[in-house]
Amino acid sequence: MSTDDLARLPDASTMDAEEVVNALVKRFERRPHGHAYTNIGTRILVALNPFEAQESSSDDAALRYVDDYRDTSSERPELSPHVFKTAEQAYLHMRQTGLNQSLIFT
């Protein structure tokens, strides 16, 4: 079981905490390109701290998400979950609605 968004799993509504943790660990352990970020629905991003440098925090990674923000075509590839994507979504929502946005990191 591995997906960018745990809420898309067929049994997501019945998953208990242990199953969620196991799904996150399996996704993260896919090396060499484990995924520290996983969505749970459209409003929650889970980040696992590997205590080591990640490619996803490089300048190249940041530029991919900047390019994604600028590309409004329907043919753009979907990028993996990332804190940059979450920030982009909050910014776009703020621009569209005029409402303040909050991001909570714990």
Side-chain angles (χ1 to χ4, degrees):
M1 171 178 17
S2 182
T3 180
D4 282 352
D5 185 347
L6 296 185
R8 291 182 185 166
L9 294 174
D11 57 348
S13 63
T14 61
M15 290 176 80
D16 63 22
E18 185 176 342
E19 291 171 312
V20 170
V21 170
N22 286 337
L24 293 171
V25 168
K26 283 181 184 177
R27 182 169 160 70
F28 180 73
E29 287 179 341
R30 259 193 291 156
R31 296 291 185 182
H33 304 291
H35 301 280
Y37 299 102
T38 302
N39 287 326
I40 300 179
T42 59
R43 304 279 186 203
I44 299 172
L45 176 71
V46 176
L48 303 178
N49 186 346
F51 301 107
E52 60 188 42
Q54 295 288 299
E55 183 277 331
S56 62
S57 61
S58 69
D59 289 343
D60 289 339
L63 290 175
R64 281 195 302 274
Y65 288 88
V66 169
D67 290 343
D68 182 66
Y69 170 75
R70 291 180 178 154
D71 183 355
T72 58
S73 71
S74 60
E75 297 175 11
R76 71 179 186 216
E78 186 172 336
L79 296 175
S80 297
H82 197 284
V83 68
F84 297 149
K85 185 69 173 174
T86 302
E88 172 193 338
Q89 291 170 338
Y91 178 73
L92 287 174
H93 189 71
M94 181 187 67
R95 295 279 313 254
Q96 292 169 348
T97 65
L99 299 172
N100 293 333
Q101 302 295 297
S102 296
L103 300 175
I104 300 170
F105 299 89
T106 62

